[in-house]
Amino acid sequence: VVLGGDVGGAGATGAATNNSFGNGVMPMETTPIYNHLPMKGYKLFDSGIDKKGLGKVLQKIREFNDSDVISNATDSRQRQLKPNESIDLLNSLSNTLATTNRYHSSTVSNAELNTLSKMITAWGASHSFPALDLARMTVLHPDAAREDRRGYWEEVLNGALDTCLGLGSEGMGKEVAVPMLTM
């Protein structure tokens, strides 16, 4: 026990009783210092909402849409998007998303959202990640996130979660992108 007014060290008088160090000074309890906690700021994940980022996502969607896995699927739900109509809708959606200074006056059509939903709910885990990335950017648009579109977003989320559950524990290691984008 330390005598005096100094908490955690030798008292003002320097008098102390028995302790584990044998030098008369009591050890101070130290608070651990963390490098990353608590956060000093916040993380913002809006990257990709520019022409270049969206172009890469659309390029990957076109690549998957033209792949043998999608075009030769036996299940009609998993077949590729209609060549011109759906790709044009995705191009229109990407143009709307890239023009962030016009969000207050631009709209996202139901057809654009339905095309996005089809890719998320029907394509397999190895092909749906660019659609999930596009959905992540789309939900930031005020028109796409309107209250009356709640059912659409619930369907998209359920489709993404079903894809994750369908991977099983061993599939989660292979297809990391889908579970990460679903969080």
Side-chain angles (χ1 to χ4, degrees):
V1 176
V2 175
L3 301 175
D6 192 12
V7 176
T13 63
T17 61
N18 292 339
N19 64 32
S20 59
F21 293 114
N23 63 2
V25 178
M26 293 296 291
M28 280 184 69
E29 286 190 35
T30 60
T31 305
I33 298 172
Y34 298 104
N35 292 328
H36 303 289
L37 296 174
M39 292 279 300
K40 304 279 189 278
Y42 58 90
K43 298 284 183 193
L44 183 63
F45 295 104
D46 68 345
S47 64
I49 303 183
D50 56 19
K51 289 276 188 193
K52 184 178 177 185
L54 285 165
K56 289 179 182 180
V57 171
L58 289 178
Q59 178 183 356
K60 190 56 91 172
I61 289 172
R62 282 188 203 99
E63 177 185 323
F64 286 159
N65 192 47
D66 295 339
S67 75
D68 291 337
V69 174
I70 299 296
S71 59
N72 295 333
T74 56
D75 184 358
S76 62
R77 286 184 348 113
Q78 292 182 340
R79 290 207 183 120
Q80 66 191 102
L81 301 172
K82 295 175 184 167
N84 296 328
E85 178 185 344
S86 296
I87 298 300
D88 289 346
L89 287 170
L90 291 175
N91 286 332
S92 171
L93 176 61
S94 71
N95 287 334
T96 301
L97 295 177
T99 316
T100 57
N101 64 341
R102 303 292 300 164
Y103 272 16
H104 66 283
S105 62
S106 61
T107 59
V108 176
S109 74
N110 288 337
E112 292 168 337
L113 293 176
N114 289 334
T115 301
L116 189 57
S117 176
K118 177 182 178 180
M119 291 184 297
I120 293 170
T121 58
W123 287 8
S126 60
H127 293 92
S128 62
F129 72 87
L132 285 168
D133 205 20
L134 190 57
R136 175 185 63 85
M137 293 180 255
T138 303
V139 77
L140 296 174
H141 192 285
D143 187 59
R146 287 188 332 236
E147 178 64 30
D148 63 331
R149 292 191 164 153
R150 179 182 178 145
Y152 162 78
W153 289 109
E154 286 176 353
E155 178 185 329
V156 166
L157 229 104
N158 287 332
L161 292 173
D162 288 344
T163 300
C164 288
L165 292 173
L167 290 173
S169 59
E170 54 281 335
M172 288 284 196
K174 285 191 322 186
E175 301 296 339
V176 175
V178 172
M180 291 299 291
L181 287 171
T182 305
M183 291 182 150

